[in-house]
Amino acid sequence: MGADTAATQLAALTADRVDHRFKGLPPEADGLTVGELAAQRRNLFTDGFTTPVLALSAERLQHNLALMETYATRHGLAFAPHGKTSMAPQLFWQQIEHGAWGITLAVPHQVRVARRFGIDRIFLANELVDHAALRWIAAELARDEDFRFICYVDSVRGVELMDAALAGTTRPVDVVVELAAGEGARTGVRTEAECAAVADAVAATTTLRLAGVAGYEGEVPQADPERVHAWLRRLTALAADFDKAGRFAGLEEIVVSAGGSAWFDAVADVFAEIPALSRPVLKLLRSGAYVSHDDGHYRKLTPFTRIPEEGALHPAFRLWAQVVSRPSADQAFANAGKRDAAYDLDLPEAQVVRRDGVEHPADGVEVTGLSDQHAWLRTSPGAELRVGDWIGMGLSHPCTSFDKWELIPVVEQDGTVVDYVRTFF
Amino acid sequence: MGADTAATQLAALTADRVDHRFKGLPPEADGLTVGELAAQRRNLFTDGFTTPVLALSAERLQHNLALMETYATRHGLAFAPHGKTSMAPQLFWQQIEHGAWGITLAVPHQVRVARRFGIDRIFLANELVDHAALRWIAAELARDEDFRFICYVDSVRGVELMDAALAGTTRPVDVVVELAAGEGARTGVRTEAECAAVADAVAATTTLRLAGVAGYEGEVPQADPERVHAWLRRLTALAADFDKAGRFAGLEEIVVSAGGSAWFDAVADVFAEIPALSRPVLKLLRSGAYVSHDDGHYRKLTPFTRIPEEGALHPAFRLWAQVVSRPSADQAFANAGKRDAAYDLDLPEAQVVRRDGVEHPADGVEVTGLSDQHAWLRTSPGAELRVGDWIGMGLSHPCTSFDKWELIPVVEQDGTVVDYVRTFF
């Protein structure tokens, strides 16, 4: 039933009207459907779009989707890309069409969005003890036998709260014990002995079923290849120990999951070493940032710098803003700020300047700060920048770029806008 | 016509359906209208809301609205609160009902939202040289004779770009020359001589009309009361000089505008000194953060610390998250992160812990970081915090709190949710 729901709901996005909710779009397009606007194949630079406007490269998006499909397939990994990155059901479905097993999410609201758009397999990479959210998950499981849902547990108390909230449900909720990435790391059980205690608590319920183990190597303290590999081996050893102890006896498959966007090469390495267990193993990779990649944090962190022979992700976002003020020889201001650009890990990177249809590199132009609605630009002597110019900026951190835009133009290399991606944050 | 448009569009918000777009709301409320849900007067803590959820205090909101109305009236200031803070048309109209002259905004998209909701007087506290946006503004001015629109100019080139975009329009666009707050400050003309050159450029057009002067004292370098007063006196002197030069001869009133949320006491002081000019003066204050106030940056900066006899703003936001993990004696994790809380100026402040209907102070609990979807909490020995507890947090920076929530419950002291505020970012 997921595909039918998806078709209906994705069609509703296409039939939705362009209006005041969506920034950057041409004001005179108000009242057109999103589909009608896309069919006009407008040019981002000449057909009435207003600044600031975020553009998602059509070609780079497709490249990234295909590259991670190839990567997961080559390494025998199932793939549940983290949907929190984009919160865009259209992209969730493109990821699934590119071979993804399902979608990873972080909080129940995100699960609601995915369910609305017919996503059948959801991995919630987080603890879940919210009573109302658990009641809703239970109702979804009861309503739809195709719905597969897995979430973390990392404490006996958490198990007890889940069990209480789920009392009387018909299908048990699948859980994986989360192994913490180390002392002082984020969520997750800190020792194997505690993992066993949590698994025992799960086994004592009828509302939960232990489906495997998981964790997030991105939080390994002072992460380096050696430490990350070592932690991943702890995780796979935990799976093997649990299996030996008969904890997975009733399952069709054992879930072993890890993998953000910085160490999926290590995940591939170590998951390849998993010995034969009593049941088939679903080796679930969860990287999410790849879909747009970036021009900052993930450009530095991506594993493809260590494995160039396997390809390279391409940064797919460019934020266009307009220079509105040039008050001195060394300062300029553009009309995009914290409302428009990611700013949590790095500032935007000035890349190109566009004037009268001609682009030149933004040499000598640097973003030095963001106000709520302004970018502060420092310019070197000789930098070519005038009031009215459009400035194209690269961003750092896909998650905090997507979350500032509700409808994002998908733009081909020549500026033609071929689609619009809707987000739900 | 503004009030009719407003009534229709605000009613449409009430008639809108609760669904996957809005986080924090009860999942089983899906399909109710927002108005029906409000009429149920649910309790935030016991009636199915899911975490994280941002609550706006009904009483504190009303207190803040009334206090700034009193303040502006007492000091003879017209008030155009900055709407970028909330981007909530319901709040815009509450501000207008509390005596506001109009609404200040920062970018054309925000003007579109305000116009959609029938706001007739808009002060755009920014330069505007976007061709498509200017064409739309011109069309709005032509369509609606009640629409009053004012924006900044700070360069001759900016004036030329506006003039070119507005060619053939029927009503000139009102502009104010922005005086920069100093060398190295944000936008605005740096010297009085350049201000005159920009005003000359305006006068040479038929598409623009010089309506006054404005600026933003919040960007005065190394701001202190003396420097801020000095800059404000430069601004009012500029108005007087322009007036003496006959630049305002055709106006009904002269606009002089300043005033963010940190120095409106200084604005009141200096604007009270404005001598009689050739026309009445519209002394326009633009503070926006007061509407929710905060528990961080603006708590420290608010002028009411210098003028306690005039009252005090009350922080109106509390972000509720749930403790999902307690992996060690000194760590805990709640399910709210960068997607939910402001993090650009300060981290959230842990204030109260709620368990089984009882609240206690969050003694010994400190927010030490935010991931995309998690709050990192450090706990002192003896801190009372368990998995499942709700933790109530104060936030710093209203602008980056509102912008993470599309539908915000308005909650009375006892937890009753009496309304929902919609935002458009």
Side-chain angles (χ1 to χ4, degrees), chain A residues 50-62:
Chain A
T50 58
T51 51
V53 61
L54 180 66
L56 181 61
S57 160
E59 296 88 354
R60 289 169 172 229
L61 171 66
Q62 290 308 316

PDB file of all heavy atoms in Angstrom, chain A residues 50-62:
ATOM      1  N   THR A  50      12.956  35.556  -7.048  1.00  0.00           N
ATOM      2  CA  THR A  50      13.443  36.647  -6.204  1.00  0.00           C
ATOM      3  C   THR A  50      14.513  36.118  -5.259  1.00  0.00           C
ATOM      4  O   THR A  50      14.551  34.927  -4.940  1.00  0.00           O
ATOM      5  CB  THR A  50      12.291  37.264  -5.386  1.00  0.00           C
ATOM      6  OG1 THR A  50      11.669  36.255  -4.594  1.00  0.00           O
ATOM      7  CG2 THR A  50      11.251  37.885  -6.307  1.00  0.00           C
ATOM      8  N   THR A  51      15.352  37.003  -4.808  1.00  0.00           N
ATOM      9  CA  THR A  51      16.444  36.635  -3.908  1.00  0.00           C
ATOM     10  C   THR A  51      16.024  36.845  -2.456  1.00  0.00           C
ATOM     11  O   THR A  51      15.226  37.734  -2.181  1.00  0.00           O
ATOM     12  CB  THR A  51      17.675  37.506  -4.215  1.00  0.00           C
ATOM     13  OG1 THR A  51      17.261  38.873  -4.233  1.00  0.00           O
ATOM     14  CG2 THR A  51      18.293  37.112  -5.527  1.00  0.00           C
ATOM     15  N   PRO A  52      16.579  36.054  -1.525  1.00  0.00           N
ATOM     16  CA  PRO A  52      17.463  34.924  -1.769  1.00  0.00           C
ATOM     17  C   PRO A  52      16.685  33.708  -2.256  1.00  0.00           C
ATOM     18  O   PRO A  52      15.497  33.577  -1.977  1.00  0.00           O
ATOM     19  CB  PRO A  52      18.054  34.653  -0.387  1.00  0.00           C
ATOM     20  CG  PRO A  52      16.998  35.111   0.566  1.00  0.00           C
ATOM     21  CD  PRO A  52      16.345  36.284  -0.088  1.00  0.00           C
ATOM     22  N   VAL A  53      17.382  32.850  -2.978  1.00  0.00           N
ATOM     23  CA  VAL A  53      16.763  31.602  -3.444  1.00  0.00           C
ATOM     24  C   VAL A  53      17.811  30.492  -3.424  1.00  0.00           C
ATOM     25  O   VAL A  53      18.951  30.689  -3.856  1.00  0.00           O
ATOM     26  CB  VAL A  53      16.114  31.796  -4.841  1.00  0.00           C
ATOM     27  CG1 VAL A  53      17.140  32.187  -5.900  1.00  0.00           C
ATOM     28  CG2 VAL A  53      15.344  30.552  -5.265  1.00  0.00           C
ATOM     29  N   LEU A  54      17.416  29.357  -2.875  1.00  0.00           N
ATOM     30  CA  LEU A  54      18.310  28.201  -2.804  1.00  0.00           C
ATOM     31  C   LEU A  54      18.054  27.311  -4.008  1.00  0.00           C
ATOM     32  O   LEU A  54      16.903  26.979  -4.303  1.00  0.00           O
ATOM     33  CB  LEU A  54      18.041  27.413  -1.520  1.00  0.00           C
ATOM     34  CG  LEU A  54      18.913  26.160  -1.310  1.00  0.00           C
ATOM     35  CD1 LEU A  54      20.376  26.543  -1.113  1.00  0.00           C
ATOM     36  CD2 LEU A  54      18.417  25.351  -0.116  1.00  0.00           C
ATOM     37  N   ALA A  55      19.105  26.917  -4.696  1.00  0.00           N
ATOM     38  CA  ALA A  55      18.978  26.047  -5.867  1.00  0.00           C
ATOM     39  C   ALA A  55      19.621  24.699  -5.571  1.00  0.00           C
ATOM     40  O   ALA A  55      20.714  24.632  -5.020  1.00  0.00           O
ATOM     41  CB  ALA A  55      19.655  26.686  -7.073  1.00  0.00           C
ATOM     42  N   LEU A  56      18.905  23.643  -5.951  1.00  0.00           N
ATOM     43  CA  LEU A  56      19.426  22.279  -5.830  1.00  0.00           C
ATOM     44  C   LEU A  56      19.749  21.798  -7.238  1.00  0.00           C
ATOM     45  O   LEU A  56      18.863  21.746  -8.100  1.00  0.00           O
ATOM     46  CB  LEU A  56      18.364  21.389  -5.168  1.00  0.00           C
ATOM     47  CG  LEU A  56      18.702  19.923  -4.923  1.00  0.00           C
ATOM     48  CD1 LEU A  56      19.900  19.765  -3.989  1.00  0.00           C
ATOM     49  CD2 LEU A  56      17.487  19.190  -4.335  1.00  0.00           C
ATOM     50  N   SER A  57      20.998  21.450  -7.473  1.00  0.00           N
ATOM     51  CA  SER A  57      21.425  21.042  -8.813  1.00  0.00           C
ATOM     52  C   SER A  57      20.799  19.709  -9.200  1.00  0.00           C
ATOM     53  O   SER A  57      20.992  18.694  -8.518  1.00  0.00           O
ATOM     54  CB  SER A  57      22.947  20.926  -8.850  1.00  0.00           C
ATOM     55  OG  SER A  57      23.355  20.116  -9.942  1.00  0.00           O
ATOM     56  N   ALA A  58      20.090  19.705 -10.317  1.00  0.00           N
ATOM     57  CA  ALA A  58      19.448  18.472 -10.793  1.00  0.00           C
ATOM     58  C   ALA A  58      20.489  17.397 -11.094  1.00  0.00           C
ATOM     59  O   ALA A  58      20.340  16.235 -10.683  1.00  0.00           O
ATOM     60  CB  ALA A  58      18.625  18.779 -12.050  1.00  0.00           C
ATOM     61  N   GLU A  59      21.552  17.785 -11.786  1.00  0.00           N
ATOM     62  CA  GLU A  59      22.546  16.789 -12.205  1.00  0.00           C
ATOM     63  C   GLU A  59      23.327  16.248 -11.007  1.00  0.00           C
ATOM     64  O   GLU A  59      23.602  15.046 -10.922  1.00  0.00           O
ATOM     65  CB  GLU A  59      23.530  17.413 -13.206  1.00  0.00           C
ATOM     66  CG  GLU A  59      22.902  17.861 -14.527  1.00  0.00           C
ATOM     67  CD  GLU A  59      22.350  19.291 -14.489  1.00  0.00           C
ATOM     68  OE1 GLU A  59      22.354  19.903 -13.396  1.00  0.00           O
ATOM     69  OE2 GLU A  59      21.923  19.785 -15.552  1.00  0.00           O
ATOM     70  N   ARG A  60      23.681  17.129 -10.074  1.00  0.00           N
ATOM     71  CA  ARG A  60      24.488  16.694  -8.935  1.00  0.00           C
ATOM     72  C   ARG A  60      23.670  15.823  -7.991  1.00  0.00           C
ATOM     73  O   ARG A  60      24.181  14.858  -7.418  1.00  0.00           O
ATOM     74  CB  ARG A  60      25.056  17.918  -8.224  1.00  0.00           C
ATOM     75  CG  ARG A  60      26.138  18.568  -9.070  1.00  0.00           C
ATOM     76  CD  ARG A  60      26.571  19.931  -8.578  1.00  0.00           C
ATOM     77  NE  ARG A  60      27.719  20.352  -9.359  1.00  0.00           N
ATOM     78  CZ  ARG A  60      28.848  20.834  -8.841  1.00  0.00           C
ATOM     79  NH1 ARG A  60      28.971  21.000  -7.534  1.00  0.00           N
ATOM     80  NH2 ARG A  60      29.854  21.158  -9.615  1.00  0.00           N
ATOM     81  N   LEU A  61      22.409  16.181  -7.820  1.00  0.00           N
ATOM     82  CA  LEU A  61      21.524  15.339  -7.018  1.00  0.00           C
ATOM     83  C   LEU A  61      21.465  13.922  -7.601  1.00  0.00           C
ATOM     84  O   LEU A  61      21.626  12.936  -6.867  1.00  0.00           O
ATOM     85  CB  LEU A  61      20.130  15.984  -6.999  1.00  0.00           C
ATOM     86  CG  LEU A  61      18.999  15.153  -6.393  1.00  0.00           C
ATOM     87  CD1 LEU A  61      19.228  14.940  -4.903  1.00  0.00           C
ATOM     88  CD2 LEU A  61      17.652  15.851  -6.626  1.00  0.00           C
ATOM     89  N   GLN A  62      21.265  13.821  -8.912  1.00  0.00           N
ATOM     90  CA  GLN A  62      21.189  12.498  -9.527  1.00  0.00           C
ATOM     91  C   GLN A  62      22.518  11.760  -9.395  1.00  0.00           C
ATOM     92  O   GLN A  62      22.544  10.554  -9.135  1.00  0.00           O
ATOM     93  CB  GLN A  62      20.784  12.610 -11.006  1.00  0.00           C
ATOM     94  CG  GLN A  62      19.333  13.042 -11.206  1.00  0.00           C
ATOM     95  CD  GLN A  62      18.339  12.184 -10.403  1.00  0.00           C
ATOM     96  OE1 GLN A  62      18.445  10.959 -10.374  1.00  0.00           O
ATOM     97  NE2 GLN A  62      17.397  12.822  -9.720  1.00  0.00           N
TER      98      GLN A  62
END
